[in-house]
Each structure stands twice: as structure tokens, then as C-alpha cells.
Amino acid sequence: MPNEDNLFVKIRNYIFLVIGLLAIGIAIGVELMINPPESPPFDLLPILLRGLAVTIELTLLGAALALVVAIVAGVARASGNIIVRTIVGFYVEVFRGTSILVQLFWIFFVLPLPPFNLSLTPLQAGVLALGLNVGAYGAEVVRGAIGAIPRGQIEASIALNMPPGMMMRRVIIPQAMVRILPPFGNLLIELLKATSLVSLITLSDVTFQGLALRQSVGRTTEVFLLILVIYFLLAYPLTLGVRWLERQRQWAT
Amino acid sequence: MQANSSDPIVRFENVTKAFGELTVLRNLDFDVAPAEKVTIVGPSGSGKTTILRVLMTLEKPDDGVIWVDGEPLWHQKSGSKLVPASEKHLRKVRGNIGMVFQHFNLFPHMTALRNVTEAPIHVLKMPKGDAEQRAVELLNHVGLGDKLGHYPSQLSGGQKQRVAIARALAMRPKVMLFDEVTSALDPELVGEVLNVIRELAEEGEMAMLLVTHEMGFAREVSDRVVFFDKGRVVEQGPPEQIFGNPQNERTKSFFNAVLRH
Amino acid sequence: MSEQFFDWEYAIGFMPTLLEGLWVTIQVTVVAFILAAILGLLMALGRRSDNPWIAQPIGAIVEFIRSTPLLVQLFIFFYVLPRYGLRMPAFIVGTIALGLHYGTYTSEIYRAGIDAIDRGQWEAARALNFSPVRTWVGIVLPQAIPPMIPALGNYLVAMFKESAQLSAITVVELTLTARTIGTQSFRFLEPFTMAGVLYFLISYPSSLVVQRLEKRYAGK
Ligand SMILES: Nc1ncnc2c1ncn2[C@@H]1O[C@H](COP(=O)(O)OP(=O)(O)OP(=O)(O)O)[C@@H](O)[C@H]1O
Ligand SMILES: [Mg+2]
């Protein structure tokens, strides 16, 4: 029975995808009928796709930074000494407690001025803000997953004479991974969506290209609907991936 | 210092351990000879588990010295004085001890085989091939030669506990601790685990310290039975004497209650 | 360094303006949250409908909104809707977009909360011959909603922080106020830092409250 259930869920998920795309298609069609353009909407695509490259680059770099930060900060917060825990805790709470847009602006507008004099390119600023922000959320995920490891696993590792680092690497982190992966998938989706904010610091991602097109060509409806479709096509497969992961509970006892 | 064969493999010297207000071990003195099989019995909450956990370095004693194979466990020698042990010293001495837990504590993300090879390869730095060969031998020995690739979730409780025994044996400890290793098992699975331990006891060289409520089994495998209550050894001796003719009133009433039950 | 690291006089000087921005942020957050709480419930109920012609499209819309950035949705509300005659102040448009976006998140909470209601409750309601409305209003929701409060609270805090994005469509809330102050004086350190402090001073204690609620409901 559970197999049928999964199949049903799968089909339903794809139906959402199909219906979603259909809805957008219809909307674009309606727009074309109301405001017949000089050329079809897809002449906009090459420019938007140039933005897509930036969006993807930013997502990958931001996710890489976030991953490293999340693991280092999460492990430190779960097992470090009190000084390390306090410092890392401060970082995590500050980045979770304030708006990512303010963090991005702070990094982009404040750092280049004295006393910091640290000039960052928009891409560097974007990667830094996204990585540190999402990394702080990820650190909490890691910490929670480590805290959920049964005490007996740690005791067994001590009884087998494993040093703390080995215990972390070989016993705790692999088990925590199962709990970590689905929330990390969700964070990746949030990160992808948050990349659009870099358009506000002049980095030419999809959203920025859209804003520029709106000013140069007009055709606002087409432009923004195309952008939505692009983001949807990036994010929705990730959503499906997360759901798939959530169903995999390999050796959960 | 090389330990003489008549020296104890484990010696508790005036060991005290308290949890907050509750003193669980009171100035405990207690020895285990090499290859000796000792069973600890006593009422619930008397501190039996705590003895094993302090010896396994899972709990730190508040006072006293524990010696393992002639070396202090929680201390190291600095001139003629004993100072708190470094992590390095602790690991070295801990290597003599192995433990089997009530709730198995197998690593759920590793197959039975990898559960057994993991520590020999990475802690003892054994070559992988040798470690695997030995693990297969051990798993065969506990009757699980056909379950090498199974994950713990695919094994019964009795099978898990036998893997856990193989895992502890793979580290070649000189002293093995068993804390109520059958009490989390369904009754029909208890026998298979006790059989494995019985064989280990007969094979001999390793000292064994068991906490169990299986009195018949204790009588069979032990060289010595220790009746323990309120953090102290109340009475000890060969199983025939302790079970058959206990001297102390507390021991008598404990066995009366247990046997009537 | 000739200048002070952090110019307190300057910071104190613009504080009243910044607090006005904070007040706008709070208003936007509260209204948008109420909207999200209501829309989320409607979406959750719609997705549960037995009629696939209701459930499927609503599901598709929810998935679509969730999978695309709030910022782009804000731009659509701000730039696209007026072309079809829907002209509204940026404050209103931004609040609606924020509420709609987070409605798709709260709908997931409702969905999980409703799913957690014991089957026996539905069966009892049927056995007592309650109407569907009575079943929902009288039996299911009163049991389902209290445990959802912490999760909803988390989104309230998230919306408070994410409302900063409304600055992109000219809503003069906290972030835009800070940015304007910075642009006027070419000192961004103080306004953005103080804006961050204000966000933190509200969202951190709030999330502690949410954590306590979580523990309370988990303890049951
Ligand atoms: N980590 C701890 N913190 C506080 N109290 C503890 C802790 N571990 C054990 N105790 C207490 O110490 C006492 C002795 O515990 P211990 O587990 O050694 O008893 P035991 O003889 O093994 O009992 P049982 O037969 O029930 O397993 C008990 O009262 C127990 O509640
Ligand atoms: Mg015990």
C-alpha cells in the first residue's frame, strides 16, 4: 500500500508543476492578447538568461559558504568550550535576529567606508551576506541534529576509545546528516529566493535584468512573469527533492 | 611498571562518587583478578551501573583511585604524586577496557561488519584487511556470520546485542564490562546472548565484570559474586556460598525477595 | 583614524526618524501577518477539499508562490497591477504581497496541524451527525490551532524581518529610512547598524517567547 501512496503523491506533485506552468502560460497569453507586442515574449529570454547565470553562480557560492559556516558553527555551538559557544552563539543570533537585507546593505555600503575600508564587489558582498545569513540558520539545524543523537552513541564511542574528533566525524555527523538534509534543502530554496535581493546592490542577476528590461523595453507583465517562471523552474525541483528526502528514512530505528 | 600476574587487573581504592546530594559509591574498595569473572548483584539503585561507568570513564569519580593493569585510570603519575590524567593517558588506559551496554548502542548507520571494524581500523590503526578478517571471525563466533551486511535496524534485539559483543571484543580488552545486557531483550532472545557470554567466560583469558538479574546464569559463570548495596560491598564470595549460604541479613532478604519473585 | 569609529551624536540625532520607520515596519508586519493567517487557513482548507477542481489549482498556486522570491512578487504587485487599473499605495500593495507570500507558509502549518488531529475526532463528529462547518469550527480547529501557535509565531518574527524588502518598492519602513539617512550624510555605519539593532531588539526576545511556547506545547 505505501508504494501506491508514494506514487500518488509523486503524480500529484507533477500535476502541480504542470498546472502551475499552464497557469503562467495562460497569463502570458492573455497579456499578449491585451497588449500585442512587436515581437514574441521570448526575445526577452537571452537577456534574462544572462541574469540566470549570475543567479546560479550566486546560489552555488552562497550555498557553499553557508554549508561550511553551518557545519563549523553548528559543531562549535554543540561541542565547543564556553567561550567558543558564546562567540558563535552571538554570530548566529545576530544573523538570525536581523533582516538579511540589512545585512546585505551593511556589507555592501558600510564595509567600503572608513574605518573598515573593505571594498567588496557586489558579487562578493552578495555571497558573503547570503552565506553568513543562511549559514546561521543552518548552524541551528546542525546543532539540533547533533543534540538529537542519543547519549548511548557517544558512550559507545568512548567505550571504543575514539578521540572526540573521530567521534564527531565518524559517529555523530553521519547520523545527524539524515536529520540535516531535508532542512538544508529548504534552506537552499530560501537562499535561491534570497539571491534576488542582490538586484538591490546592482548585481545583474535575473531580477536585476528584469528591472532593467522594464525600464528599457517596458512590457512589464511579460518580463516579470518570465522571471517568476525562471525562479519557479529553479526552485520547484529542489522542493520535490526535499520531499523525496523526507520520505527516505533509511536506518531510522 | 609491568603487572605481576597475581596483581589485580582492576582495583578500586577508596572510590567515592556522588550525584548531587546522593552518594552512590562510598569509599569503595574492590579488586578484580586477571581473567576473573565477577558478577555484581544488588538492589536497584545501589550503584552497580555506576561502578561500571566509572571504570569505563563515562563518569568521573569524586575521590579515590582506580587502577587498571597497574596504571591509575583517572590519574597519572607525576614524580611520586598522582595528578589528574591527561586525555592521552586516559585513552591509553581506557584501551584495556571494553563494555557491552544494556541498549546495545550499535552505530545505526553502519553495517554489522563495519560496527565491528570501525574502531580497530581507526583507533587501533589495524590494516583494513586484518580488521575485517577478525571481524568476520568474531561475528561467526557469535553466530552472525550471515548478517555481515545487515544494518542494526534489520537485526533482532538478540542479534544486535551479539554484534555489540563482537564489536567490544574486537578491541581485545583485558576487562570486559556487561551491564544488564539482556534486560532490554524479549525473553525468548535472552538465551542466545547468555550463551555467547558463557562461551566467552569459558574461553578464559579476559576478566569479566557483569551486572545481571539472571541469577542462574550468574551462578554458572562467575568465579565470584559480589552483593552490593548502598554504595558498598556487603558480602562477596564464590557463587555457591553467596547464593547457597549467605551470611549477611541484607543479602538473605535480597535473595529471598528475588527468588520468591 | 581621524574620525570616531561610531558617531553617537549622529546616531542619536537620527533615532526619532529611524523609530518612525520602525513603526511603519511594525504596522506592515502586523497587518500582513493577520492576512497571512487568514489566507493560509483558506489555502489549507482549499487544498484539503474533496473536489480536485478546487484542491489542485489552489495547491498549484501555493506551490508557485512559495517557490518564487518575495521581492519579485513585490515588483509585480507594484509595477504590473497598476497597468490593469489596480492602483494602490505602496504600503498597501507591499502588505498584501507580504501577507500572500507568507500565507503559503502558514498554510503548511495549518495543514500539518489539521493532519495531526486524531481520526477518532472526525469519526465522532460524523457519528454525532455534525455538519461539516460545525465539525471544522466546533471540533477540529479549536484542537488544531493552539499547538500551531509557536510555528505561526516563528513566521510572525520572520515577516517582521523580511518586511525590509518592502523598501524596494518605496515603502518608507525601517530599512529604507536607514538607507535614506545614510545616503544623505554618506555615513552608512550608524544608520544600518542601528536599524540592525532595532530589528534584533524586537525579533530576538520574540523568538525567545516563541521558543518557550514551543516547549510548553511539546511538554504536553
Ligand atoms: N547521571 C546521574 N545523575 C544523577 N543521578 C544518577 C545518575 N546516574 C545514576 N544516578 C543515581 O544513582 C543511583 C545509582 O544508580 P545506578 O544506575 O548505579 O544503580 P544500579 O544499581 O545500576 O540500579 P539498577 O539495578 O536499577 O540498574 C540511582 O539512585 C540513580 O538514580
Ligand atoms: Mg543499572
mmCIF file of all heavy atoms in Angstrom, chain A residues 23-60:
data_model
loop_
_atom_site.group_PDB
_atom_site.id
_atom_site.type_symbol
_atom_site.label_atom_id
_atom_site.label_comp_id
_atom_site.label_asym_id
_atom_site.label_seq_id
_atom_site.Cartn_x
_atom_site.Cartn_y
_atom_site.Cartn_z
ATOM 1 N N ALA A 23 -0.896 27.722 -15.909
ATOM 2 C CA ALA A 23 -1.465 28.988 -15.436
ATOM 3 C C ALA A 23 -0.632 30.158 -15.930
ATOM 4 O O ALA A 23 -1.172 31.161 -16.427
ATOM 5 C CB ALA A 23 -1.536 28.990 -13.907
ATOM 6 N N ILE A 24 0.689 30.012 -15.821
ATOM 7 C CA ILE A 24 1.565 31.085 -16.285
ATOM 8 C C ILE A 24 1.426 31.275 -17.785
ATOM 9 O O ILE A 24 1.344 32.408 -18.297
ATOM 10 C CB ILE A 24 3.037 30.755 -15.940
ATOM 11 C CG1 ILE A 24 3.207 30.668 -14.434
ATOM 12 C CG2 ILE A 24 3.962 31.816 -16.518
ATOM 13 C CD1 ILE A 24 2.733 31.881 -13.701
ATOM 14 N N GLY A 25 1.368 30.144 -18.494
ATOM 15 C CA GLY A 25 1.226 30.220 -19.948
ATOM 16 C C GLY A 25 -0.021 30.988 -20.328
ATOM 17 O O GLY A 25 0.013 31.871 -21.188
ATOM 18 N N ILE A 26 -1.109 30.667 -19.647
ATOM 19 C CA ILE A 26 -2.372 31.342 -19.950
ATOM 20 C C ILE A 26 -2.258 32.835 -19.656
ATOM 21 O O ILE A 26 -2.664 33.684 -20.455
ATOM 22 C CB ILE A 26 -3.533 30.718 -19.143
ATOM 23 C CG1 ILE A 26 -3.786 29.296 -19.653
ATOM 24 C CG2 ILE A 26 -4.799 31.548 -19.255
ATOM 25 C CD1 ILE A 26 -4.681 28.474 -18.766
ATOM 26 N N ALA A 27 -1.642 33.128 -18.511
ATOM 27 C CA ALA A 27 -1.499 34.538 -18.137
ATOM 28 C C ALA A 27 -0.702 35.300 -19.188
ATOM 29 O O ALA A 27 -1.070 36.409 -19.588
ATOM 30 C CB ALA A 27 -0.821 34.648 -16.770
ATOM 31 N N ILE A 28 0.394 34.662 -19.637
ATOM 32 C CA ILE A 28 1.195 35.329 -20.666
ATOM 33 C C ILE A 28 0.372 35.487 -21.942
ATOM 34 O O ILE A 28 0.378 36.535 -22.597
ATOM 35 C CB ILE A 28 2.490 34.537 -20.947
ATOM 36 C CG1 ILE A 28 3.407 34.611 -19.719
ATOM 37 C CG2 ILE A 28 3.214 35.081 -22.179
ATOM 38 C CD1 ILE A 28 4.689 33.844 -19.859
ATOM 39 N N GLY A 29 -0.396 34.449 -22.270
ATOM 40 C CA GLY A 29 -1.245 34.510 -23.459
ATOM 41 C C GLY A 29 -2.224 35.664 -23.382
ATOM 42 O O GLY A 29 -2.388 36.423 -24.341
ATOM 43 N N VAL A 30 -2.855 35.795 -22.213
ATOM 44 C CA VAL A 30 -3.828 36.878 -22.037
ATOM 45 C C VAL A 30 -3.147 38.225 -22.225
ATOM 46 O O VAL A 30 -3.641 39.109 -22.938
ATOM 47 C CB VAL A 30 -4.484 36.789 -20.632
ATOM 48 C CG1 VAL A 30 -5.285 38.050 -20.328
ATOM 49 C CG2 VAL A 30 -5.367 35.559 -20.556
ATOM 50 N N GLU A 31 -1.976 38.346 -21.611
ATOM 51 C CA GLU A 31 -1.233 39.597 -21.737
ATOM 52 C C GLU A 31 -0.929 39.906 -23.200
ATOM 53 O O GLU A 31 -1.051 41.044 -23.660
ATOM 54 C CB GLU A 31 0.068 39.504 -20.917
ATOM 55 C CG GLU A 31 1.148 40.505 -21.304
ATOM 56 C CD GLU A 31 0.822 41.936 -20.886
ATOM 57 O OE1 GLU A 31 -0.127 42.114 -20.114
ATOM 58 O OE2 GLU A 31 1.523 42.851 -21.364
ATOM 59 N N LEU A 32 -0.549 38.853 -23.945
ATOM 60 C CA LEU A 32 -0.218 39.059 -25.358
ATOM 61 C C LEU A 32 -1.441 39.522 -26.142
ATOM 62 O O LEU A 32 -1.341 40.328 -27.066
ATOM 63 C CB LEU A 32 0.324 37.766 -25.973
ATOM 64 C CG LEU A 32 1.709 37.352 -25.477
ATOM 65 C CD1 LEU A 32 2.144 36.046 -26.125
ATOM 66 C CD2 LEU A 32 2.720 38.458 -25.765
ATOM 67 N N MET A 33 -2.607 39.011 -25.747
ATOM 68 C CA MET A 33 -3.816 39.409 -26.461
ATOM 69 C C MET A 33 -4.187 40.848 -26.139
ATOM 70 O O MET A 33 -4.604 41.593 -27.007
ATOM 71 C CB MET A 33 -4.969 38.473 -26.089
ATOM 72 C CG MET A 33 -4.871 37.143 -26.822
ATOM 73 S SD MET A 33 -6.362 36.161 -26.723
ATOM 74 C CE MET A 33 -6.417 35.729 -25.024
ATOM 75 N N ILE A 34 -4.028 41.226 -24.860
ATOM 76 C CA ILE A 34 -4.394 42.589 -24.478
ATOM 77 C C ILE A 34 -3.426 43.606 -25.072
ATOM 78 O O ILE A 34 -3.814 44.603 -25.651
ATOM 79 C CB ILE A 34 -4.439 42.739 -22.939
ATOM 80 C CG1 ILE A 34 -5.514 41.804 -22.368
ATOM 81 C CG2 ILE A 34 -4.757 44.182 -22.546
ATOM 82 C CD1 ILE A 34 -5.514 41.734 -20.867
ATOM 83 N N ASN A 35 -2.111 43.332 -24.895
ATOM 84 C CA ASN A 35 -1.094 44.245 -25.416
ATOM 85 C C ASN A 35 -0.242 43.535 -26.453
ATOM 86 O O ASN A 35 0.812 43.012 -26.109
ATOM 87 C CB ASN A 35 -0.158 44.725 -24.292
ATOM 88 C CG ASN A 35 -0.904 45.516 -23.246
ATOM 89 O OD1 ASN A 35 -1.749 46.336 -23.597
ATOM 90 N ND2 ASN A 35 -0.592 45.265 -21.996
ATOM 91 N N PRO A 36 -0.672 43.465 -27.692
ATOM 92 C CA PRO A 36 0.137 42.722 -28.661
ATOM 93 C C PRO A 36 1.535 43.349 -28.790
ATOM 94 O O PRO A 36 1.648 44.541 -29.079
ATOM 95 C CB PRO A 36 -0.650 42.884 -29.970
ATOM 96 C CG PRO A 36 -1.973 43.439 -29.595
ATOM 97 C CD PRO A 36 -1.804 44.149 -28.296
ATOM 98 N N PRO A 37 2.588 42.603 -28.517
ATOM 99 C CA PRO A 37 3.947 43.151 -28.582
ATOM 100 C C PRO A 37 4.472 43.151 -30.009
ATOM 101 O O PRO A 37 3.915 42.487 -30.875
ATOM 102 C CB PRO A 37 4.749 42.166 -27.734
ATOM 103 C CG PRO A 37 4.024 40.868 -27.934
ATOM 104 C CD PRO A 37 2.566 41.192 -28.167
ATOM 105 N N GLU A 38 5.523 43.921 -30.217
ATOM 106 C CA GLU A 38 6.141 43.939 -31.547
ATOM 107 C C GLU A 38 6.753 42.583 -31.870
ATOM 108 O O GLU A 38 6.834 42.183 -33.009
ATOM 109 C CB GLU A 38 7.238 45.019 -31.621
ATOM 110 C CG GLU A 38 6.722 46.442 -31.511
ATOM 111 C CD GLU A 38 6.680 46.927 -30.079
ATOM 112 O OE1 GLU A 38 6.966 46.123 -29.161
ATOM 113 O OE2 GLU A 38 6.360 48.093 -29.868
ATOM 114 N N SER A 39 7.223 41.902 -30.807
ATOM 115 C CA SER A 39 7.864 40.602 -31.024
ATOM 116 C C SER A 39 7.427 39.664 -29.909
ATOM 117 O O SER A 39 6.974 40.104 -28.855
ATOM 118 C CB SER A 39 9.382 40.781 -31.016
ATOM 119 O OG SER A 39 9.732 41.558 -29.896
ATOM 120 N N PRO A 40 7.595 38.356 -30.089
ATOM 121 C CA PRO A 40 7.134 37.407 -29.057
ATOM 122 C C PRO A 40 7.917 37.581 -27.744
ATOM 123 O O PRO A 40 8.988 38.173 -27.752
ATOM 124 C CB PRO A 40 7.392 36.047 -29.692
ATOM 125 C CG PRO A 40 8.362 36.293 -30.792
ATOM 126 C CD PRO A 40 8.164 37.701 -31.248
ATOM 127 N N PRO A 41 7.350 37.075 -26.630
ATOM 128 C CA PRO A 41 7.968 37.345 -25.325
ATOM 129 C C PRO A 41 9.355 36.734 -25.208
ATOM 130 O O PRO A 41 10.157 37.180 -24.405
ATOM 131 C CB PRO A 41 7.005 36.705 -24.335
ATOM 132 C CG PRO A 41 6.297 35.658 -25.112
ATOM 133 C CD PRO A 41 6.198 36.194 -26.507
ATOM 134 N N PHE A 42 9.632 35.759 -26.034
ATOM 135 C CA PHE A 42 10.872 35.030 -25.822
ATOM 136 C C PHE A 42 12.097 35.785 -26.320
ATOM 137 O O PHE A 42 13.216 35.366 -26.081
ATOM 138 C CB PHE A 42 10.772 33.636 -26.435
ATOM 139 C CG PHE A 42 9.674 32.861 -25.784
ATOM 140 C CD1 PHE A 42 8.464 32.639 -26.440
ATOM 141 C CD2 PHE A 42 9.821 32.408 -24.487
ATOM 142 C CE1 PHE A 42 7.441 31.954 -25.810
ATOM 143 C CE2 PHE A 42 8.797 31.722 -23.848
ATOM 144 C CZ PHE A 42 7.604 31.497 -24.521
ATOM 145 N N ASP A 43 11.871 36.907 -26.991
ATOM 146 C CA ASP A 43 13.032 37.736 -27.348
ATOM 147 C C ASP A 43 13.675 38.325 -26.101
ATOM 148 O O ASP A 43 14.810 38.774 -26.120
ATOM 149 C CB ASP A 43 12.609 38.855 -28.301
ATOM 150 C CG ASP A 43 11.581 39.768 -27.645
ATOM 151 O OD1 ASP A 43 10.814 39.265 -26.801
ATOM 152 O OD2 ASP A 43 11.560 40.966 -27.969
ATOM 153 N N LEU A 44 12.922 38.283 -24.965
ATOM 154 C CA LEU A 44 13.476 38.804 -23.720
ATOM 155 C C LEU A 44 14.399 37.791 -23.053
ATOM 156 O O LEU A 44 15.240 38.139 -22.235
ATOM 157 C CB LEU A 44 12.342 39.143 -22.749
ATOM 158 C CG LEU A 44 11.328 40.169 -23.247
ATOM 159 C CD1 LEU A 44 10.161 40.250 -22.265
ATOM 160 C CD2 LEU A 44 11.979 41.530 -23.413
ATOM 161 N N LEU A 45 14.181 36.514 -23.434
ATOM 162 C CA LEU A 45 14.875 35.451 -22.710
ATOM 163 C C LEU A 45 16.399 35.570 -22.699
ATOM 164 O O LEU A 45 17.013 35.386 -21.647
ATOM 165 C CB LEU A 45 14.445 34.085 -23.249
ATOM 166 C CG LEU A 45 13.240 33.470 -22.540
ATOM 167 C CD1 LEU A 45 12.941 32.102 -23.107
ATOM 168 C CD2 LEU A 45 13.471 33.395 -21.040
ATOM 169 N N PRO A 46 17.038 35.855 -23.842
ATOM 170 C CA PRO A 46 18.506 35.884 -23.812
ATOM 171 C C PRO A 46 19.051 36.802 -22.724
ATOM 172 O O PRO A 46 20.009 36.442 -22.025
ATOM 173 C CB PRO A 46 18.880 36.407 -25.201
ATOM 174 C CG PRO A 46 17.727 36.044 -26.057
ATOM 175 C CD PRO A 46 16.515 36.095 -25.184
ATOM 176 N N ILE A 47 18.414 37.947 -22.549
ATOM 177 C CA ILE A 47 18.904 38.881 -21.531
ATOM 178 C C ILE A 47 18.650 38.332 -20.132
ATOM 179 O O ILE A 47 19.527 38.357 -19.263
ATOM 180 C CB ILE A 47 18.219 40.249 -21.710
ATOM 181 C CG1 ILE A 47 18.600 40.812 -23.082
ATOM 182 C CG2 ILE A 47 18.609 41.202 -20.595
ATOM 183 C CD1 ILE A 47 17.781 41.997 -23.515
ATOM 184 N N LEU A 48 17.444 37.781 -19.936
ATOM 185 C CA LEU A 48 17.134 37.217 -18.625
ATOM 186 C C LEU A 48 18.047 36.039 -18.309
ATOM 187 O O LEU A 48 18.455 35.837 -17.167
ATOM 188 C CB LEU A 48 15.666 36.784 -18.574
ATOM 189 C CG LEU A 48 14.653 37.933 -18.586
ATOM 190 C CD1 LEU A 48 13.231 37.381 -18.547
ATOM 191 C CD2 LEU A 48 14.883 38.867 -17.406
ATOM 192 N N LEU A 49 18.377 35.269 -19.335
ATOM 193 C CA LEU A 49 19.226 34.101 -19.088
ATOM 194 C C LEU A 49 20.646 34.518 -18.694
ATOM 195 O O LEU A 49 21.308 33.805 -17.954
ATOM 196 C CB LEU A 49 19.248 33.176 -20.308
ATOM 197 C CG LEU A 49 17.910 32.469 -20.573
ATOM 198 C CD1 LEU A 49 18.032 31.492 -21.733
ATOM 199 C CD2 LEU A 49 17.415 31.735 -19.332
ATOM 200 N N ARG A 50 21.074 35.678 -19.190
ATOM 201 C CA ARG A 50 22.370 36.179 -18.720
ATOM 202 C C ARG A 50 22.306 36.423 -17.211
ATOM 203 O O ARG A 50 23.227 36.113 -16.464
ATOM 204 C CB ARG A 50 22.725 37.475 -19.458
ATOM 205 C CG ARG A 50 24.085 37.389 -20.132
ATOM 206 C CD ARG A 50 24.421 38.700 -20.822
ATOM 207 N NE ARG A 50 23.553 38.964 -21.970
ATOM 208 C CZ ARG A 50 23.172 40.186 -22.359
ATOM 209 N NH1 ARG A 50 23.544 41.255 -21.669
ATOM 210 N NH2 ARG A 50 22.410 40.339 -23.419
ATOM 211 N N GLY A 51 21.157 36.955 -16.792
ATOM 212 C CA GLY A 51 20.951 37.142 -15.353
ATOM 213 C C GLY A 51 20.894 35.814 -14.620
ATOM 214 O O GLY A 51 21.387 35.687 -13.502
ATOM 215 N N LEU A 52 20.309 34.814 -15.292
ATOM 216 C CA LEU A 52 20.191 33.493 -14.672
ATOM 217 C C LEU A 52 21.565 32.956 -14.297
ATOM 218 O O LEU A 52 21.749 32.356 -13.233
ATOM 219 C CB LEU A 52 19.484 32.537 -15.636
ATOM 220 C CG LEU A 52 19.350 31.096 -15.156
ATOM 221 C CD1 LEU A 52 18.483 31.020 -13.918
ATOM 222 C CD2 LEU A 52 18.777 30.209 -16.258
ATOM 223 N N ALA A 53 22.554 33.172 -15.178
ATOM 224 C CA ALA A 53 23.907 32.694 -14.874
ATOM 225 C C ALA A 53 24.397 33.295 -13.564
ATOM 226 O O ALA A 53 24.958 32.588 -12.711
ATOM 227 C CB ALA A 53 24.856 33.050 -16.016
ATOM 228 N N VAL A 54 24.148 34.600 -13.380
ATOM 229 C CA VAL A 54 24.576 35.251 -12.130
ATOM 230 C C VAL A 54 23.823 34.669 -10.942
ATOM 231 O O VAL A 54 24.407 34.376 -9.884
ATOM 232 C CB VAL A 54 24.348 36.771 -12.219
ATOM 233 C CG1 VAL A 54 24.683 37.440 -10.893
ATOM 234 C CG2 VAL A 54 25.183 37.360 -13.344
ATOM 235 N N THR A 55 22.507 34.481 -11.116
ATOM 236 C CA THR A 55 21.708 33.921 -10.024
ATOM 237 C C THR A 55 22.230 32.552 -9.608
ATOM 238 O O THR A 55 22.369 32.252 -8.416
ATOM 239 C CB THR A 55 20.228 33.813 -10.462
ATOM 240 O OG1 THR A 55 19.736 35.140 -10.684
ATOM 241 C CG2 THR A 55 19.391 33.131 -9.413
ATOM 242 N N ILE A 56 22.535 31.723 -10.609
ATOM 243 C CA ILE A 56 23.014 30.375 -10.282
ATOM 244 C C ILE A 56 24.390 30.443 -9.613
ATOM 245 O O ILE A 56 24.649 29.763 -8.613
ATOM 246 C CB ILE A 56 23.037 29.496 -11.547
ATOM 247 C CG1 ILE A 56 21.593 29.201 -11.983
ATOM 248 C CG2 ILE A 56 23.789 28.202 -11.290
ATOM 249 C CD1 ILE A 56 21.481 28.440 -13.283
ATOM 250 N N GLU A 57 25.254 31.276 -10.157
ATOM 251 C CA GLU A 57 26.590 31.417 -9.566
ATOM 252 C C GLU A 57 26.485 31.836 -8.095
ATOM 253 O O GLU A 57 27.124 31.266 -7.211
ATOM 254 C CB GLU A 57 27.381 32.462 -10.357
ATOM 255 C CG GLU A 57 28.805 32.639 -9.870
ATOM 256 C CD GLU A 57 29.531 33.762 -10.611
ATOM 257 O OE1 GLU A 57 28.855 34.561 -11.294
ATOM 258 O OE2 GLU A 57 30.760 33.830 -10.489
ATOM 259 N N LEU A 58 25.625 32.820 -7.880
ATOM 260 C CA LEU A 58 25.434 33.340 -6.532
ATOM 261 C C LEU A 58 24.860 32.267 -5.604
ATOM 262 O O LEU A 58 25.279 32.126 -4.446
ATOM 263 C CB LEU A 58 24.463 34.515 -6.638
ATOM 264 C CG LEU A 58 24.394 35.531 -5.542
ATOM 265 C CD1 LEU A 58 25.735 36.154 -5.311
ATOM 266 C CD2 LEU A 58 23.375 36.596 -5.944
ATOM 267 N N THR A 59 23.911 31.494 -6.129
ATOM 268 C CA THR A 59 23.310 30.435 -5.317
ATOM 269 C C THR A 59 24.363 29.406 -4.929
ATOM 270 O O THR A 59 24.450 28.995 -3.766
ATOM 271 C CB THR A 59 22.176 29.744 -6.101
ATOM 272 O OG1 THR A 59 21.248 30.737 -6.527
ATOM 273 C CG2 THR A 59 21.469 28.720 -5.249
ATOM 274 N N LEU A 60 25.169 28.996 -5.905
ATOM 275 C CA LEU A 60 26.160 27.952 -5.624
ATOM 276 C C LEU A 60 27.214 28.447 -4.636
ATOM 277 O O LEU A 60 27.532 27.764 -3.659
ATOM 278 C CB LEU A 60 26.820 27.486 -6.926
ATOM 279 C CG LEU A 60 25.884 26.749 -7.892
ATOM 280 C CD1 LEU A 60 26.624 26.349 -9.160
ATOM 281 C CD2 LEU A 60 25.274 25.510 -7.224
#
